[in-house]
Coordinates of all heavy atoms in Angstrom, one line a residue:
M27 N -3.5 12.1 6.5 CA -3.9 10.9 7.3 C -3.3 11.2 8.8 O -2.2 11.5 8.9 CB -3.3 9.7 6.7 CG -3.6 8.4 7.5 SD -2.9 6.9 6.9 CE -3.4 6.9 5.2
T28 N -4.3 11.0 9.7 CA -3.9 11.2 11.1 C -3.2 10.0 11.6 O -3.3 8.9 11.1 CB -5.2 11.5 12.0 OG1 -6.0 10.3 12.0 CG2 -6.0 12.7 11.4
T29 N -2.5 10.1 12.8 CA -1.8 9.0 13.4 C -2.9 7.9 13.9 O -2.5 6.7 13.8 CB -1.0 9.5 14.6 OG1 -1.8 10.2 15.5 CG2 0.2 10.3 14.1
K30 N -4.0 8.4 14.3 CA -5.1 7.4 14.7 C -5.5 6.5 13.5 O -5.7 5.3 13.6 CB -6.2 8.2 15.2 CG -7.3 7.4 15.9 CD -8.4 8.2 16.5 CE -9.4 7.4 17.3 NZ -10.4 8.3 17.9
Q31 N -5.7 7.2 12.3 CA -6.1 6.5 11.1 C -5.0 5.6 10.7 O -5.2 4.4 10.3 CB -6.4 7.5 10.0 CG -7.7 8.2 10.3 CD -7.9 9.3 9.3 OE1 -6.9 9.9 8.8 NE2 -9.1 9.7 9.0
R32 N -3.7 6.0 10.7 CA -2.6 5.2 10.3 C -2.5 4.0 11.3 O -2.2 2.9 10.8 CB -1.3 6.0 10.3 CG -0.1 5.4 9.8 CD 1.1 6.3 9.8 NE 0.9 7.5 9.1 CZ 1.0 7.7 7.9 NH1 1.2 6.7 7.0 NH2 0.8 8.9 7.3
A33 N -2.7 4.2 12.6 CA -2.6 3.1 13.6 C -3.7 2.1 13.2 O -3.5 0.8 13.4 CB -2.8 3.6 14.9
Y34 N -4.9 2.5 12.9 CA -6.0 1.7 12.6 C -5.7 0.8 11.4 O -5.9 -0.4 11.3 CB -7.2 2.5 12.3 CG -8.4 1.7 11.8 CD1 -9.2 0.9 12.7 CD2 -8.9 1.7 10.5 CE1 -10.3 0.2 12.4 CE2 -10.0 1.0 10.1 CZ -10.7 0.2 11.0 OH -11.8 -0.5 10.6
L35 N -5.1 1.4 10.3 CA -4.8 0.7 9.1 C -3.6 -0.3 9.4 O -3.6 -1.5 8.8 CB -4.3 1.6 8.0 CG -5.4 2.5 7.4 CD1 -4.9 3.5 6.5 CD2 -6.4 1.7 6.7
K36 N -2.6 0.1 10.3 CA -1.6 -0.9 10.6 C -2.1 -2.1 11.3 O -1.7 -3.2 11.0 CB -0.6 -0.3 11.6 CG 0.4 0.8 10.9 CD 1.3 1.3 12.0 CE 2.1 2.4 11.4 NZ 3.1 3.0 12.5
G37 N -3.2 -2.0 12.1 CA -3.8 -3.1 12.8 C -4.5 -4.0 11.8 O -4.4 -5.2 11.9
L38 N -5.1 -3.4 10.8 CA -5.8 -4.2 9.7 C -4.8 -5.0 8.9 O -4.9 -6.1 8.5 CB -6.6 -3.3 8.8 CG -7.8 -2.7 9.4 CD1 -8.4 -1.8 8.3 CD2 -8.8 -3.7 9.8
A39 N -3.6 -4.4 8.7 CA -2.6 -5.0 7.8 C -1.8 -6.0 8.5 O -1.2 -6.9 7.8 CB -1.6 -3.8 7.3
M40 N -1.8 -6.1 9.8 CA -1.0 -7.1 10.6 C -1.4 -8.5 10.2 O -0.5 -9.4 10.1 CB -1.3 -6.9 12.1 CG -0.5 -5.9 12.7 SD -0.8 -5.6 14.4 CE -0.1 -7.1 15.1
T41 N -2.7 -8.7 9.9 CA -3.1 -10.1 9.6 C -3.0 -10.4 8.1 O -3.2 -11.6 7.6 CB -4.6 -10.3 10.1 OG1 -5.4 -9.3 9.4 CG2 -4.7 -10.1 11.5
M42 N -2.7 -9.5 7.3 CA -2.7 -9.7 5.8 C -1.4 -10.3 5.4 O -0.3 -10.1 6.0 CB -2.8 -8.3 5.1 CG -4.1 -7.6 5.2 SD -4.1 -6.0 4.6 CE -3.6 -6.2 2.9
E43 N -1.4 -11.1 4.3 CA -0.3 -11.6 3.6 C 0.1 -10.6 2.4 O -0.8 -10.1 1.8 CB -0.6 -13.0 3.0 CG -0.8 -14.1 4.1 CD 0.5 -14.3 4.9 OE1 1.6 -14.4 4.3 OE2 0.4 -14.4 6.1
P44 N 1.3 -10.6 2.1 CA 1.7 -9.7 0.9 C 1.1 -10.3 -0.3 O 1.1 -11.5 -0.5 CB 3.2 -9.8 0.9 CG 3.6 -10.3 2.3 CD 2.5 -11.1 2.8
I45 N 0.6 -9.4 -1.2 CA 0.0 -9.9 -2.5 C 0.9 -9.7 -3.6 O 0.6 -10.1 -4.8 CB -1.4 -9.4 -2.7 CG1 -1.4 -7.8 -2.8 CG2 -2.4 -9.9 -1.7 CD1 -2.7 -7.2 -3.2
F46 N 2.0 -8.8 -3.4 CA 3.0 -8.6 -4.5 C 4.4 -8.8 -3.9 O 4.6 -8.6 -2.7 CB 2.9 -7.2 -5.1 CG 1.6 -7.0 -5.8 CD1 0.6 -6.2 -5.3 CD2 1.4 -7.5 -7.1 CE1 -0.6 -6.0 -6.0 CE2 0.3 -7.2 -7.8 CZ -0.7 -6.5 -7.3
Q47 N 5.3 -9.2 -4.8 CA 6.7 -9.3 -4.4 C 7.5 -8.5 -5.5 O 7.3 -8.5 -6.7 CB 7.2 -10.7 -4.5 CG 6.5 -11.6 -3.4 CD 7.0 -13.1 -3.5 OE1 7.4 -13.5 -4.5 NE2 7.1 -13.7 -2.4
I48 N 8.4 -7.6 -4.9 CA 9.3 -6.9 -5.8 C 10.7 -7.5 -5.8 O 11.2 -7.6 -4.7 CB 9.3 -5.4 -5.4 CG1 7.9 -4.8 -5.4 CG2 10.3 -4.6 -6.3 CD1 7.8 -3.4 -4.8
G49 N 11.1 -7.9 -7.0 CA 12.3 -8.6 -7.0 C 13.5 -7.8 -7.8 O 13.5 -6.5 -7.7
K50 N 14.3 -8.5 -8.4 CA 15.5 -7.8 -9.0 C 15.1 -6.8 -10.1 O 15.9 -5.9 -10.4 CB 16.5 -8.8 -9.6 CG 16.0 -9.7 -10.7 CD 17.1 -10.7 -11.2 CE 16.5 -11.5 -12.3 NZ 17.2 -12.7 -12.6
N51 N 14.0 -7.0 -10.8 CA 13.5 -6.1 -11.8 C 12.9 -4.8 -11.2 O 12.6 -3.8 -11.9 CB 12.5 -6.7 -12.7 CG 13.0 -7.8 -13.5 OD1 14.2 -7.9 -13.7 ND2 12.2 -8.8 -13.9
S52 N 12.8 -4.7 -9.9 CA 12.3 -3.6 -9.2 C 10.9 -3.2 -9.7 O 10.1 -4.1 -10.0 CB 13.3 -2.4 -9.2 OG 12.9 -1.4 -8.3
M53 N 10.7 -1.9 -9.9 CA 9.4 -1.4 -10.3 C 9.2 -1.4 -11.9 O 9.9 -0.6 -12.6 CB 9.1 0.0 -9.8 CG 8.8 0.0 -8.4 SD 7.4 -1.0 -7.9 CE 6.1 -0.3 -8.9
T54 N 8.4 -2.2 -12.4 CA 8.1 -2.2 -13.8 C 6.7 -1.6 -14.1 O 5.9 -1.5 -13.1 CB 8.0 -3.7 -14.4 OG1 7.0 -4.3 -13.8 CG2 9.4 -4.4 -14.2
P55 N 6.5 -1.2 -15.3 CA 5.1 -0.5 -15.6 C 4.0 -1.5 -15.3 O 3.0 -1.1 -14.8 CB 5.2 -0.1 -17.0 CG 6.7 0.1 -17.3 CD 7.4 -0.9 -16.4
E56 N 4.2 -2.8 -15.6 CA 3.3 -3.8 -15.4 C 2.9 -4.0 -13.9 O 1.7 -4.2 -13.5 CB 3.7 -5.2 -15.9 CG 3.9 -5.2 -17.4 CD 5.2 -4.6 -17.9 OE1 6.1 -4.5 -17.1 OE2 5.3 -4.2 -19.1
L57 N 3.9 -4.0 -13.0 CA 3.8 -4.1 -11.6 C 3.0 -2.9 -11.1 O 2.1 -3.0 -10.2 CB 5.1 -4.3 -10.9 CG 5.1 -4.5 -9.3 CD1 4.2 -5.7 -9.0 CD2 6.5 -4.6 -8.8
T58 N 3.4 -1.7 -11.5 CA 2.7 -0.5 -11.1 C 1.2 -0.6 -11.5 O 0.3 -0.3 -10.6 CB 3.3 0.8 -11.8 OG1 4.7 0.8 -11.5 CG2 2.6 2.0 -11.3
K59 N 0.9 -1.1 -12.7 CA -0.5 -1.2 -13.1 C -1.3 -2.3 -12.2 O -2.4 -2.0 -11.8 CB -0.6 -1.7 -14.5 CG -2.0 -1.6 -15.1 CD -1.9 -2.0 -16.6 CE -3.2 -1.8 -17.3 NZ -4.4 -2.3 -16.6
A60 N -0.6 -3.4 -11.9 CA -1.2 -4.4 -11.1 C -1.5 -3.9 -9.6 O -2.5 -4.1 -9.0 CB -0.3 -5.7 -11.0
I61 N -0.5 -3.1 -9.1 CA -0.7 -2.6 -7.7 C -1.8 -1.5 -7.8 O -2.7 -1.5 -6.8 CB 0.6 -1.8 -7.2 CG1 1.6 -3.0 -7.0 CG2 0.4 -1.0 -6.0 CD1 3.1 -2.4 -6.7
E62 N -1.9 -0.7 -8.8 CA -3.0 0.2 -9.0 C -4.3 -0.5 -8.9 O -5.3 -0.1 -8.3 CB -2.8 0.9 -10.3 CG -3.9 1.9 -10.7 CD -3.6 3.3 -10.2 OE1 -2.4 3.7 -10.2 OE2 -4.5 3.9 -9.8
E63 N -4.5 -1.6 -9.7 CA -5.7 -2.4 -9.7 C -6.1 -3.0 -8.4 O -7.2 -3.1 -7.9 CB -5.6 -3.5 -10.8 CG -5.7 -2.9 -12.2 CD -5.3 -3.9 -13.3 OE1 -5.1 -5.1 -13.0 OE2 -5.3 -3.5 -14.5
A64 N -5.1 -3.5 -7.7 CA -5.2 -4.1 -6.4 C -5.7 -3.0 -5.4 O -6.6 -3.3 -4.5 CB -3.9 -4.7 -5.9
L65 N -5.1 -1.9 -5.4 CA -5.6 -0.8 -4.5 C -7.1 -0.4 -4.9 O -7.8 -0.1 -3.9 CB -4.7 0.5 -4.7 CG -3.4 0.4 -4.0 CD1 -2.4 1.5 -4.5 CD2 -3.5 0.5 -2.5
T66 N -7.4 -0.4 -6.0 CA -8.8 0.0 -6.4 C -9.8 -1.1 -5.9 O -10.8 -0.9 -5.3 CB -9.0 0.0 -8.0 OG1 -8.1 1.0 -8.4 CG2 -10.4 0.3 -8.4
A67 N -9.4 -2.4 -5.9 CA -10.2 -3.5 -5.5 C -10.2 -3.7 -3.9 O -11.2 -3.9 -3.3 CB -9.7 -4.8 -6.1
R68 N -9.0 -3.4 -3.3 CA -8.9 -3.8 -1.9 C -8.7 -2.6 -1.0 O -8.9 -2.7 0.3 CB -7.7 -4.7 -1.6 CG -7.8 -6.0 -2.4 CD -6.5 -6.8 -2.2 NE -6.6 -8.0 -2.9 CZ -6.1 -9.2 -2.5 NH1 -5.6 -9.1 -1.3 NH2 -6.2 -10.2 -3.2
E69 N -8.2 -1.5 -1.4 CA -7.9 -0.3 -0.6 C -6.6 -0.4 0.1 O -5.8 0.5 0.2 CB -9.0 0.2 0.3 CG -10.2 0.7 -0.4 CD -11.3 1.1 0.6 OE1 -11.8 0.3 1.3 OE2 -11.6 2.3 0.6
L70 N -6.3 -1.5 0.9 CA -5.2 -1.7 1.6 C -4.4 -3.0 1.2 O -5.0 -4.0 1.2 CB -5.6 -1.9 3.2 CG -4.5 -2.0 4.2 CD1 -3.9 -0.7 4.4 CD2 -5.1 -2.4 5.5
I71 N -3.2 -2.8 0.9 CA -2.4 -3.9 0.3 C -1.0 -4.0 1.0 O -0.5 -3.0 1.5 CB -2.2 -3.9 -1.2 CG1 -1.4 -2.7 -1.7 CG2 -3.5 -4.0 -2.0 CD1 -0.9 -2.7 -3.1
K72 N -0.5 -5.2 1.0 CA 0.9 -5.4 1.6 C 1.7 -5.9 0.5 O 1.4 -6.8 -0.3 CB 0.9 -6.4 2.7 CG 2.1 -6.5 3.5 CD 2.0 -7.5 4.6 CE 1.5 -6.9 5.9 NZ 1.6 -7.9 7.1
I73 N 3.0 -5.4 0.4 CA 3.9 -5.8 -0.6 C 5.2 -6.3 0.0 O 5.7 -5.6 1.0 CB 4.3 -4.6 -1.6 CG1 3.0 -4.0 -2.2 CG2 5.3 -4.9 -2.6 CD1 3.2 -2.7 -2.9
S74 N 5.8 -7.3 -0.5 CA 7.1 -7.8 0.0 C 8.2 -7.5 -0.9 O 8.0 -7.6 -2.2 CB 6.9 -9.3 0.2 OG 8.2 -9.8 0.7
V75 N 9.3 -7.0 -0.4 CA 10.5 -6.6 -1.2 C 11.5 -7.8 -1.0 O 11.9 -8.1 0.1 CB 11.1 -5.2 -0.8 CG1 12.3 -5.0 -1.6 CG2 10.1 -4.1 -0.9
L76 N 11.8 -8.5 -2.0 CA 12.7 -9.6 -2.0 C 14.2 -9.2 -1.7 O 14.5 -8.1 -2.1 CB 12.6 -10.4 -3.3 CG 11.2 -11.0 -3.6 CD1 11.2 -11.8 -4.9 CD2 10.7 -11.9 -2.5
K77 N 15.0 -10.1 -1.3 CA 16.4 -9.8 -1.0 C 17.2 -9.4 -2.3 O 18.2 -8.6 -2.1 CB 17.1 -11.0 -0.3 CG 16.7 -11.2 1.1 CD 17.5 -12.3 1.7 CE 17.3 -12.4 3.2 NZ 16.3 -13.4 3.5
N78 N 16.8 -9.9 -3.4 CA 17.6 -9.6 -4.7 C 17.1 -8.3 -5.3 O 17.7 -7.9 -6.3 CB 17.4 -10.8 -5.7 CG 15.9 -10.9 -6.2 OD1 15.1 -10.3 -5.7 ND2 15.8 -11.8 -7.1
C79 N 16.3 -7.5 -4.6 CA 15.9 -6.1 -5.0 C 17.0 -5.1 -4.6 O 17.3 -5.1 -3.4 CB 14.5 -5.8 -4.6 SG 14.0 -4.2 -5.2
A80 N 17.5 -4.4 -5.5 CA 18.6 -3.4 -5.1 C 18.1 -2.2 -4.4 O 18.9 -1.5 -3.7 CB 19.4 -3.1 -6.4
D81 N 16.8 -1.9 -4.6 CA 16.3 -0.6 -4.1 C 15.8 -0.8 -2.6 O 15.4 -1.8 -2.2 CB 15.1 -0.1 -5.0 CG 15.4 0.1 -6.4 OD1 16.5 0.7 -6.6 OD2 14.7 -0.2 -7.2
A82 N 16.0 0.3 -1.9 CA 15.6 0.3 -0.5 C 14.0 0.3 -0.4 O 13.3 1.0 -1.1 CB 16.1 1.5 0.2
P83 N 13.5 -0.5 0.5 CA 12.0 -0.6 0.7 C 11.4 0.8 0.9 O 10.3 1.0 0.4 CB 11.8 -1.4 1.9 CG 13.0 -2.3 1.9 CD 14.1 -1.5 1.4
R84 N 11.9 1.7 1.7 CA 11.3 3.0 1.9 C 11.2 3.8 0.6 O 10.2 4.4 0.3 CB 12.2 3.8 3.0 CG 11.8 5.2 3.2 CD 10.4 5.5 3.7 NE 10.2 4.9 5.0 CZ 8.9 5.0 5.5 NH1 7.9 5.5 4.9 NH2 8.7 4.4 6.7
E85 N 12.3 3.8 -0.2 CA 12.3 4.5 -1.5 C 11.2 3.8 -2.4 O 10.6 4.6 -3.1 CB 13.7 4.4 -2.1 CG 14.8 5.2 -1.5 CD 16.2 4.9 -2.1 OE1 16.2 4.4 -3.2 OE2 17.2 5.2 -1.3
L86 N 11.1 2.5 -2.5 CA 10.2 1.9 -3.3 C 8.8 2.3 -2.8 O 7.9 2.6 -3.7 CB 10.3 0.3 -3.2 CG 11.4 -0.3 -4.0 CD1 11.5 -1.7 -3.7 CD2 11.1 -0.1 -5.5
A87 N 8.5 2.3 -1.5 CA 7.2 2.6 -1.1 C 6.8 4.1 -1.5 O 5.7 4.3 -1.9 CB 7.2 2.5 0.5
N88 N 7.8 5.0 -1.4 CA 7.4 6.3 -1.8 C 7.2 6.5 -3.2 O 6.3 7.2 -3.7 CB 8.5 7.3 -1.3 CG 8.6 7.4 0.2 OD1 7.6 7.3 0.9 ND2 9.8 7.7 0.7
M89 N 8.0 5.7 -4.1 CA 7.8 5.7 -5.5 C 6.5 5.2 -5.9 O 5.7 5.7 -6.7 CB 8.9 4.9 -6.2 CG 8.9 5.0 -7.7 SD 10.1 4.0 -8.6 CE 11.1 3.3 -7.4
I90 N 6.1 4.0 -5.3 CA 4.8 3.4 -5.7 C 3.7 4.3 -5.2 O 2.6 4.4 -6.0 CB 4.7 2.0 -4.9 CG1 5.8 1.0 -5.4 CG2 3.3 1.4 -5.2 CD1 6.0 -0.2 -4.6
A91 N 3.8 4.8 -4.0 CA 2.7 5.7 -3.5 C 2.4 6.9 -4.4 O 1.3 7.3 -4.7 CB 3.0 6.2 -2.1
E92 N 3.6 7.5 -5.0 CA 3.5 8.6 -5.9 C 2.8 8.2 -7.2 O 2.0 8.9 -7.7 CB 4.9 9.2 -6.1 CG 4.9 10.5 -6.8 CD 6.4 11.0 -7.0 OE1 7.1 11.0 -6.0 OE2 6.7 11.2 -8.1
R93 N 3.2 7.1 -7.7 CA 2.7 6.6 -9.0 C 1.2 6.2 -8.9 O 0.5 6.2 -9.9 CB 3.5 5.4 -9.5 CG 4.9 5.8 -9.9 CD 5.7 4.6 -10.5 NE 7.0 4.9 -10.9 CZ 7.9 4.1 -11.3 NH1 7.5 2.8 -11.4 NH2 9.1 4.4 -11.6
T94 N 0.8 5.7 -7.8 CA -0.6 5.1 -7.6 C -1.4 6.1 -6.8 O -2.6 5.7 -6.6 CB -0.6 3.7 -6.9 OG1 0.0 3.9 -5.6 CG2 0.2 2.7 -7.7
H95 N -1.0 7.2 -6.4 CA -1.7 8.2 -5.6 C -2.3 7.6 -4.4 O -3.4 7.7 -4.0 CB -2.8 8.9 -6.5 CG -2.3 9.3 -7.8 ND1 -1.6 10.5 -7.8 CD2 -2.5 8.9 -9.0 CE1 -1.3 10.8 -9.1 NE2 -1.8 9.8 -9.9
S96 N -1.4 6.8 -3.7 CA -1.8 6.1 -2.4 C -0.9 6.7 -1.3 O 0.0 7.5 -1.5 CB -1.7 4.6 -2.6 OG -0.3 4.3 -2.9
D97 N -1.3 6.2 -0.1 CA -0.5 6.6 1.1 C 0.3 5.4 1.6 O -0.2 4.3 1.6 CB -1.5 7.0 2.3 CG -2.2 8.3 1.9 OD1 -1.5 9.3 1.6 OD2 -3.4 8.3 2.0
V98 N 1.5 5.7 2.0 CA 2.3 4.7 2.6 C 1.9 4.7 4.1 O 2.0 5.6 4.9 CB 3.8 5.1 2.6 CG1 4.7 4.0 3.3 CG2 4.3 5.3 1.1
V99 N 1.4 3.5 4.5 CA 0.9 3.3 5.9 C 2.1 3.0 6.8 O 2.3 3.6 7.8 CB -0.1 2.2 6.0 CG1 -0.5 1.9 7.5 CG2 -1.4 2.5 5.2
Q100 N 3.0 2.0 6.3 CA 4.2 1.7 7.0 C 5.1 0.9 6.1 O 4.7 0.3 5.2 CB 3.8 0.9 8.3 CG 3.4 -0.5 8.0 CD 3.1 -1.2 9.4 OE1 3.4 -0.7 10.5 NE2 2.5 -2.4 9.3
V101 N 6.4 0.9 6.6 CA 7.4 0.2 5.9 C 8.2 -0.4 7.1 O 8.8 0.2 7.9 CB 8.4 1.0 5.1 CG1 9.5 0.1 4.5 CG2 7.7 1.7 4.0
I102 N 8.1 -1.7 7.2 CA 8.8 -2.5 8.3 C 9.7 -3.6 7.7 O 9.1 -4.4 6.9 CB 7.8 -3.2 9.3 CG1 7.0 -2.1 10.1 CG2 8.6 -4.1 10.3 CD1 6.1 -2.8 11.0
G103 N 11.0 -3.4 7.8 CA 11.9 -4.4 7.2 C 11.7 -4.3 5.7 O 11.9 -3.3 5.0
K104 N 11.3 -5.4 5.1 CA 11.0 -5.5 3.6 C 9.6 -5.6 3.3 O 9.2 -6.1 2.2 CB 11.9 -6.7 3.1 CG 13.4 -6.4 3.2 CD 14.2 -7.3 2.2 CE 15.6 -6.9 2.2 NZ 15.9 -5.8 1.2
K105 N 8.7 -5.2 4.2 CA 7.3 -5.2 4.0 C 6.8 -3.8 3.9 O 7.1 -2.9 4.6 CB 6.6 -5.9 5.1 CG 6.9 -7.3 5.3 CD 6.2 -8.2 4.4 CE 6.4 -9.7 4.7 NZ 7.7 -10.3 4.3
I106 N 6.0 -3.5 2.8 CA 5.3 -2.2 2.6 C 3.8 -2.3 2.6 O 3.3 -3.3 2.1 CB 5.7 -1.7 1.2 CG1 7.3 -1.6 1.0 CG2 5.1 -0.4 0.8 CD1 7.7 -1.4 -0.4
V107 N 3.2 -1.4 3.3 CA 1.7 -1.4 3.4 C 1.3 -0.1 2.8 O 1.7 1.0 3.2 CB 1.3 -1.5 4.8 CG1 -0.3 -1.5 4.9 CG2 1.7 -2.9 5.5
L108 N 0.4 -0.2 1.8 CA -0.2 1.0 1.1 C -1.7 1.0 1.3 O -2.3 0.0 1.4 CB 0.2 0.9 -0.4 CG 1.6 1.0 -0.8 CD1 1.8 0.8 -2.3 CD2 2.3 2.3 -0.3
Y109 N -2.2 2.3 1.3 CA -3.7 2.5 1.4 C -4.1 3.6 0.4 O -3.4 4.6 0.2 CB -4.1 2.9 2.8 CG -5.5 3.4 2.9 CD1 -6.5 2.4 3.0 CD2 -5.8 4.7 2.9 CE1 -7.8 2.9 3.1 CE2 -7.1 5.1 3.1 CZ -8.1 4.2 3.1 OH -9.5 4.6 3.2
R110 N -5.2 3.3 -0.2 CA -5.8 4.3 -1.0 C -7.3 4.2 -0.9 O -7.9 3.1 -1.1 CB -5.5 4.2 -2.5 CG -6.0 5.4 -3.4 CD -5.6 5.3 -4.8 NE -6.3 4.2 -5.4 CZ -5.9 3.7 -6.6 NH1 -4.8 4.2 -7.2 NH2 -6.5 2.7 -7.1
E111 N -7.9 5.3 -0.5 CA -9.3 5.3 -0.2 C -10.2 4.9 -1.5 O -9.8 5.5 -2.6 CB -9.9 6.6 0.3 CG -11.3 6.7 0.8 CD -11.6 8.0 1.5 OE1 -10.7 8.8 1.8 OE2 -12.8 8.2 1.6
G112 N -11.1 4.1 -1.4 CA -11.8 3.7 -2.6 C -12.9 4.7 -2.9 O -13.3 5.5 -2.1
K113 N -13.3 4.7 -4.2 CA -14.4 5.5 -4.6 C -15.7 5.1 -3.8 O -15.8 3.9 -3.4 CB -14.6 5.5 -6.1 CG -13.3 5.9 -6.9 CD -13.1 7.4 -6.9 CE -11.9 7.8 -7.7 NZ -10.7 8.0 -6.9
D114 N -16.7 5.9 -3.9 CA -17.9 5.8 -3.0 C -18.4 4.3 -3.0 O -18.5 3.7 -1.9 CB -19.0 6.7 -3.5 CG -18.8 8.1 -3.3 OD1 -17.9 8.4 -2.4 OD2 -19.2 9.0 -4.2
K115 N -18.7 3.7 -4.1 CA -19.3 2.3 -4.0 C -18.2 1.2 -3.7 O -18.7 0.2 -3.3 CB -20.1 2.0 -5.3 CG -19.2 1.9 -6.5 CD -20.1 1.5 -7.7 CE -19.5 1.4 -9.1 NZ -18.1 1.6 -9.3
N116 N -17.0 1.5 -3.9 CA -15.9 0.6 -3.6 C -15.3 0.7 -2.3 O -14.4 0.0 -1.9 CB -14.8 0.6 -4.7 CG -15.2 0.2 -6.1 OD1 -16.2 -0.5 -6.1 ND2 -14.6 0.7 -7.1
R117 N -15.7 1.6 -1.4 CA -15.1 1.9 -0.1 C -15.5 0.7 0.8 O -16.6 0.5 1.1 CB -15.7 3.2 0.5 CG -14.9 3.6 1.6 CD -15.2 5.0 2.1 NE -14.9 5.9 1.1 CZ -15.5 7.2 1.0 NH1 -16.4 7.5 1.8 NH2 -15.0 8.0 0.0
K118 N -14.5 0.1 1.3 CA -14.6 -1.1 2.2 C -14.2 -0.8 3.6 O -14.7 -1.3 4.6 CB -13.9 -2.2 1.7 CG -14.4 -2.8 0.4 CD -13.4 -3.9 -0.1 CE -13.8 -4.4 -1.5 NZ -13.6 -3.5 -2.6
I119 N -13.1 0.1 3.7 CA -12.5 0.4 5.0 C -13.1 1.7 5.5 O -13.0 2.8 4.8 CB -11.0 0.5 4.9 CG1 -10.5 -0.9 4.5 CG2 -10.4 0.9 6.2 CD1 -9.0 -0.9 4.1
E120 N -13.6 1.8 6.7 CA -14.1 3.0 7.4 C -13.0 3.5 8.3 O -12.8 2.9 9.4 CB -15.5 2.8 8.0 CG -16.2 4.0 8.4 CD -16.6 4.9 7.1 OE1 -17.1 4.2 6.2 OE2 -16.5 6.0 7.2
L121 N -12.4 4.6 8.0 CA -11.3 5.1 8.9 C -11.9 5.9 10.0 O -13.0 6.4 9.9 CB -10.5 6.1 8.1 CG -9.6 5.5 7.0 CD1 -8.8 6.7 6.3 CD2 -8.6 4.6 7.6
P122 N -11.2 5.8 11.2 CA -11.7 6.7 12.3 C -11.7 8.2 11.8 O -10.9 8.5 11.1 CB -10.6 6.4 13.4 CG -9.9 5.3 13.0 CD -10.0 5.1 11.5
R123 N -12.6 8.9 12.4 CA -12.8 10.3 12.0 C -11.6 11.2 12.5 O -11.0 10.9 13.5 CB -14.1 10.9 12.7 CG -15.3 10.3 12.2 CD -16.5 11.1 12.7 NE -17.7 10.4 12.4 CZ -18.4 10.8 11.4 NH1 -18.1 11.8 10.6 NH2 -19.6 10.2 11.1
Q124 N -11.4 12.1 11.7 CA -10.3 13.1 12.0 C -10.9 14.1 13.0 O -12.0 14.5 12.9 CB -9.9 13.9 10.8 CG -9.2 13.0 9.7 CD -8.7 13.8 8.5 OE1 -8.8 15.0 8.5 NE2 -8.2 13.1 7.5
N125 N -10.1 14.5 14.0 CA -10.6 15.5 15.0 C -10.3 16.9 14.5 O -9.4 17.3 14.1 CB -9.9 15.2 16.3 CG -10.3 13.8 16.9 OD1 -11.3 13.3 16.4 ND2 -9.6 13.4 17.9

C-alpha cells in the first residue's frame, strides 16, 4: 500500500465510529471471526481498544491484520483502523492508483 493510498484511507476513517471494542479478554476467536466478516462487508473498519485491555494497540493491530489478511492503516492512541480490499463485486472503496 502506498502512502497516498494510506492517506486516502485515513481520510475516510476520520468520520467513522469504531464498530468493535477490545477489552480485558483481548483477542478471542469469536472477535477475530466478527472482524473478518466486517472487513468482508465494509473493507475499512475502526476498532477501539478499551483501557482494561492489557495488550498494546499496535501489537493488537498487527495480530488482527495477520489473522484477517488485512492492512493496518493506522493506530492512533487506542484506535485501530484496518483495511482489506473487497472481492470484485463487494469492492466499495476505490483507492488512488499506484505510480
Side-chain angles (χ1 to χ4, degrees):
M27 179 181 305
T28 65
T29 52
K30 189 175 184 180
Q31 291 170 331
R32 192 175 303 279
Y34 176 73
L35 291 172
K36 284 180 184 179
L38 293 177
M40 281 177 66
T41 58
M42 293 172 56
E43 289 297 315
I45 59 171
F46 292 106
Q47 294 181 329
I48 301 176
K50 67 180 179 198
N51 294 335
S52 194
M53 284 304 299
T54 62
E56 296 79 20
L57 182 58
T58 303
K59 188 174 185 327
I61 290 171
E62 179 88 39
E63 290 168 0
L65 282 165
T66 301
R68 301 175 180 222
E69 291 183 295
L70 187 68
I71 63 168
K72 189 181 274 190
I73 302 168
S74 180
V75 180
L76 301 177
K77 286 190 173 93
N78 63 356
C79 182
D81 298 320
R84 170 64 61 189
E85 290 172 20
L86 281 171
N88 292 333
M89 185 184 354
I90 298 166
E92 191 177 307
R93 290 182 184 177
T94 60
H95 307 290
S96 58
D97 292 309
V98 178
V99 175
Q100 69 179 353
V101 178
I102 295 182
K104 295 205 171 269
K105 300 277 190 280
I106 300 169
V107 179
L108 296 174
Y109 170 76
R110 186 176 69 197
E111 190 173 344
K113 300 286 180 264
D114 296 332
K115 64 179 180 2
N116 292 340
R117 190 172 297 154
K118 296 175 182 69
I119 299 172
E120 196 63 45
L121 290 176
R123 291 185 188 266
Q124 295 181 3
N125 294 346

